[in-house]
Amino acid sequence: KAVSVRKLSTGETFEESYDKLLLSPGAKPTQPELPGVGQVFTLRTVEDTLRIHEFVKTHHPRSVVLAGGGFISLEMAENLRELGMEVTMVQRPKQLMNPFDPEMASFIHAKMRKKGVRLLLGHTVEGFEEAPGGVRVLLKGAEPLEAELVVLAIGVTPDTQLAKEAGLELGVKGSIAVNDRMETSVPDIYAVGDAVQVQHFVTGEHPLISLAGPANKQGRIAADNICGGNSRYQGSQGSSVVKVFDMTAAATGINEQAARKAGIECDKVYLSPASHAGYYPGGRLLNMKVLFEKNTYRLLGAQIVGSEGVDKRIDVLATAIRAGLTALDLKDLDLAYAPPYSSAKDPVNMAGFMIENLANGTVR
């Protein structure tokens, strides 16, 4: 019932007793054991951003290699490209953005290439070396790359050394195991955020989902319980959205690859409706994929790539999943309509109509 504290500025240590303890250490950038990894930047905190910004301001790099293909790499690519740099992204899987299935990720690939970003998909980084004026990035089975700036963004690892040393039960990838009250295996110790493993709302499995929405909700639940309440976390479904230059990509629930891995028999529909009524100017296509379980029509997930209206539709679908609606129920949703904002049959309704046609045998 006490924590040992070291004051970094003076080195002095002291003990602080507690009745309840909350661990919220978050996660740190994944640092593989690769030669020369100390020469590259990682991006996790505001301070990391300032360091990269200072380097760019001072050294005016013209070329950058981004190792990794997730949210941080995409956002870095856009910002550095807008500054006029030559940007190359290296990613071991053959696609960017793992929440998306390959055919949906291909829209992101096309946009990145159109904006001048070079993609090296299916390539593994083996190490880094000092090079004249920058860093040499060593690739497995391919010619090395040279760049004046290298950022490593291959994911995050739960920062749980303290929990491990204290003997708390750990979960997947060294995360902290918690119950639905956000309690750890030790009485009166709670844990939240990127450091904890959660239950996936769709599959019931226990993945790591490092997103701000779930972390903030967990903080509120832990606070309720510390203060004598009985709040419970219902699980994460990985709802996310990312800006890709002038495009938006969003996902919720599980993708087709995750459904197969979880042993769920799934089916899907693809549709490309306009973001609002066709006769009102400025409508843009939404490329949508909606997944559902065969026979039961349970909604499993959705992916949308487009521009305006993507975030609105993914949130409707995320809410439908959370509320336990079936894919067939989508046709009945009463959604707001005016020509500048939608169509009388909203894209979400359209997905429901298509799935109903499959269920009735009207089309195959």
Side-chain angles (χ1 to χ4, degrees), residues 7 26 28 46 82 87 120 167 186 211 226 253 259 266 278 281 284 286 293 303 311 329 340 343 347:
K7 194 171 177 181
K28 55 193 176 186
V46 174
E82 296 286 359
V87 178
L120 288 181
V186 175
L211 293 168
I226 285 169
C266 77
R284 304 281 296 276
L286 300 171
E293 189 172 30
Q303 300 154 52
D311 53 339
D329 292 326
S343 297

Side-chain angles (χ1 to χ4, degrees), residues 32-46:
E33 291 182 14
L34 293 175
V37 78
Q39 302 176 59
V40 304
F41 288 94
T42 55
L43 177 54
R44 176 67 178 171
T45 64
V46 174

Side-chain angles (χ1 to χ4, degrees), residues 8 42 106 110 178 202 280 348:
L8 294 178
T42 55
S106 67
V178 291
V202 176
Y280 188 90
V348 176

Side-chain angles (χ1 to χ4, degrees), residues 22-248:
L22 177 71
L23 296 178
S24 182
K28 55 193 176 186
T30 302
Q31 285 271 31
E33 291 182 14
L34 293 175
V37 78
Q39 302 176 59
V40 304
F41 288 94
T42 55
L43 177 54
R44 176 67 178 171
T45 64
V46 174
E47 289 78 12
D48 294 337
T49 310
L50 296 174
R51 273 193 288 275
I52 295 171
H53 188 248
E54 187 58 38
F55 181 88
V56 169
K57 253 186 5 181
T58 307
H59 294 89
H60 308 289
R62 289 162 299 173
S63 58
V64 58
V65 168
L66 303 173
F71 293 98
I72 286 175
S73 259
L74 280 184
E75 291 174 349
M76 283 294 292
E78 176 178 343
N79 282 280
L80 297 174
R81 189 77 190 110
E82 296 286 359
L83 288 172
M85 294 182 208
E86 289 178 13
V87 178
T88 301
M89 296 180 76
V90 183
Q91 163 85 327
R92 183 166 55 190
K94 291 190 174 179
Q95 69 167 80
L96 301 174
M97 293 298 291
N98 287 334
F100 293 81
D101 286 312
E103 74 278 19
M104 298 302 288
S106 67
F107 292 109
I108 300 172
H109 301 164
K111 176 60 70 177
M112 299 299 278
R113 290 179 174 125
K114 187 177 180 184
K115 293 293 184 179
V117 177
R118 183 184 174 208
L119 302 181
L120 288 181
L121 305 176
H123 284 75
T124 302
V125 174
E126 289 199 312
F128 306 93
E129 290 177 353
E130 217 174 305
V135 178
R136 185 175 294 115
V137 182
L138 307 176
L139 303 179
K140 186 177 181 180
E143 289 294 307
L145 303 169
E146 289 197 8
E148 294 165 36
L149 168 65
V150 177
V151 180
L152 186 64
I154 58 170
V156 292
T157 303
D159 193 358
T160 55
Q161 192 61 32
L162 186 66
K164 187 178 179 182
E165 288 172 3
L168 273 63
E169 185 186 328
L170 301 180
V172 60
K173 293 184 181 173
S175 60
I176 303 171
V178 291
N179 62 16
D180 61 356
R181 286 171 46 85
M182 307 314 299
E183 295 167 325
T184 69
S185 60
V186 175
D188 296 324
I189 300 182
Y190 296 76
V192 299
D194 291 357
V196 306
Q197 78 170 19
V198 295
Q199 186 171 41
H200 198 288
F201 185 78
V202 176
T203 65
E205 293 175 340
H206 290 86
L208 285 173
I209 296 181
S210 303
L211 293 168
N216 277 267
K217 293 179 189 76
Q218 291 160 15
R220 178 183 168 88
I221 288 163
D224 281 351
N225 294 329
I226 285 169
C227 295
N230 187 28
S231 292
R232 295 180 184 271
Y233 187 61
Q234 303 295 325
S236 299
Q237 63 193 66
S239 300
S240 61
V241 62
V242 65
K243 179 179 178 290
V244 187
F245 293 94
D246 56 353
M247 190 171 83
T248 301

